[in-house]
Amino acid sequence: MSTRYDILHTTTYRYREPVRFGLHRVMFRPRDSHDLRVLATDLRVSPEADVRLIHDPHSNSVALVQPRGEARELGIACAFTIEHVPGPEDELPLDPAAEYLPFAYSVQERMDLEAYLRPHHDDPEGALIRWAHHFLHSDQPNSTRETLRRMNAHIAQSLTYQAREEEGTQTPLETLALGSGSCRDYALLMMEAARRLGIATRFVSGYLYDPMLDTGEQAPGETTVGAGTTHAWLEAYLPGAGWIAFDPTNNLTRSGRLIRVGVARDPALAQPISGSWFGPAEAYEGMDVVVRVTKRRE
């Protein structure tokens, strides 16, 4: 049975005096696929703006927003209704050759996955690859799926989650050294570690549905981190099953609560919103972001 969600995402930038705005790149619209359908959309910008809708190289839906005139506040509000169609209850089987590590992608797959296989962050002393190898057994075969699950669970259980509003992402080595990070940092750490095990991964930006926001009650033993703002996780490409979601912030896999918006080979390419403004540096006051994801009651 499918589930419908209503999503409201508002971002407001505040300034002490009127400023002029440059072009803003907005990536808020959920990503249509066989398991997720966008039924209704609405984008509102204050002050008035010229808007163009495009698809980027990863086929993400991007709104190019050019506000008109000067203002002390820039507000961007997006509302969506989506329908999520659950996948099969049983996990999709992997190709026999990919069930255990190490495995090799086909020549055709490697041509398309090259940017997702190649590490993007340096590991000069091998600290990250040593960390990744901790999840491998030395006395028995290493199931590809189970290795990723162990890594996913370890990050959720052993690192300290810290929300950060500033742009950018910690490097994987910084996250390991600090023992803490945001959802973006967790996703990048697991992405880069899995790539060093020969697994193609990509960054995902989107939304997380928290049932407690609807019911007011948290399920026993369950804590959801990352709801109420944009969320980030990763997907790993496993031959036979395709792109599989892993959320190391909440130790989730294949979850219908994860709502995809944008995918990219690196977090810097999937920012929910980016842009420029022109005026005195001290004019900037701050930014407010509110995300509400609610299950629709038909």
Side-chain angles (χ1 to χ4, degrees):
M1 180 180 295
S2 63
T3 303
R4 292 191 179 186
Y5 297 104
D6 290 321
I7 303 170
L8 176 63
H9 184 159
T10 61
T11 300
T12 305
Y13 296 92
R14 293 173 283 102
Y15 304 87
R16 293 183 175 87
E17 61 183 82
V19 298
R20 182 167 55 88
F21 301 101
L23 186 68
H24 281 63
R25 186 176 185 272
V26 178
M27 190 186 291
F28 287 172
R29 186 184 192 276
R31 188 179 174 95
D32 290 280
S33 65
H34 62 275
D35 63 342
L36 193 154
R37 305 186 186 100
V38 180
L39 306 178
T41 67
D42 183 43
L43 171 62
R44 299 184 182 184
V45 182
S46 177
E48 290 187 357
D50 298 316
V51 178
R52 291 180 290 141
L53 300 177
I54 67 167
H55 286 98
D56 71 3
H58 299 277
S59 295
N60 300 311
S61 179
V62 178
L64 301 179
V65 176
Q66 178 58 67
R68 303 173 189 167
E70 297 184 346
R72 292 184 57 187
E73 188 173 281
L74 172 62
I76 301 176
C78 300
F80 310 99
T81 298
I82 67 165
E83 182 178 48
H84 179 263
V85 181
E89 292 186 6
D90 296 330
E91 291 183 324
L92 294 173
L94 305 189
D95 286 347
E99 288 183 0
Y100 296 96
L101 293 171
F103 69 86
Y105 292 100
S106 70
V107 173
Q108 294 298 328
E109 286 174 329
R110 285 196 67 90
M111 291 177 65
D112 293 325
L113 295 173
E114 182 60 35
Y116 304 109
L117 276 164
R118 186 177 64 252
H120 287 54
H121 294 264
D122 293 334
D123 184 25
E125 298 180 4
L128 183 55
I129 196 168
R130 287 194 297 273
W131 183 82
H133 282 177
H134 286 162
F135 302 97
L136 299 177
H137 298 299
S138 59
D139 58 349
Q140 65 185 73
N142 287 284
S143 162
T144 302
R145 234 184 204 124
E146 289 305 317
T147 299
L148 290 170
R149 283 181 177 143
R150 287 194 295 274
M151 189 181 296
N152 198 56
H154 179 84
I155 294 173
Q157 295 164 4
S158 66
L159 274 63
T160 301
Y161 177 81
Q162 290 186 338
R164 292 187 294 107
E165 292 187 358
E166 63 269 22
E167 293 184 2
T169 308
Q170 294 172 178
T171 68
L173 294 181
E174 287 173 333
T175 300
L176 286 179
L178 293 169
S180 64
S182 68
C183 57
R184 292 169 290 168
D185 306 323
Y186 284 8
L188 181 59
L189 169 62
M190 185 167 169
M191 284 170 57
E192 288 287 294
R195 285 171 176 172
R196 284 165 171 81
L197 297 180
I199 302 171
T201 59
R202 66 185 184 184
F203 182 84
V204 186
S205 175
Y207 307 115
L208 173 65
Y209 170 66
D210 182 358
M212 188 185 72
L213 298 178
D214 284 348
T215 65
E217 298 180 359
Q218 190 74 59
E222 182 178 298
T223 301
T224 301
V225 179
T229 184
T230 53
H231 191 52
W233 60 97
L234 69 137
E235 291 178 338
Y237 187 83
L238 305 182
W243 291 107
I244 303 298
F246 292 88
D247 176 11
T249 302
N250 294 288
N251 191 22
L252 296 175
T253 61
R254 303 174 64 243
S255 176
R257 292 162 54 192
L258 298 171
I259 301 169
R260 293 183 302 274
V261 169
V263 300
R265 56 181 171 79
D266 189 79
L269 303 176
Q271 295 183 53
I273 185 169
S274 59
S276 60
W277 58 276
F278 305 93
E282 62 273 15
Y284 182 69
E285 277 192 328
M287 174 183 68
D288 298 314
V289 179
V290 177
V291 175
R292 294 189 180 92
V293 182
T294 55
K295 185 182 293 187
R296 173 171 287 206
R297 290 172 173 78
E298 301 295 344

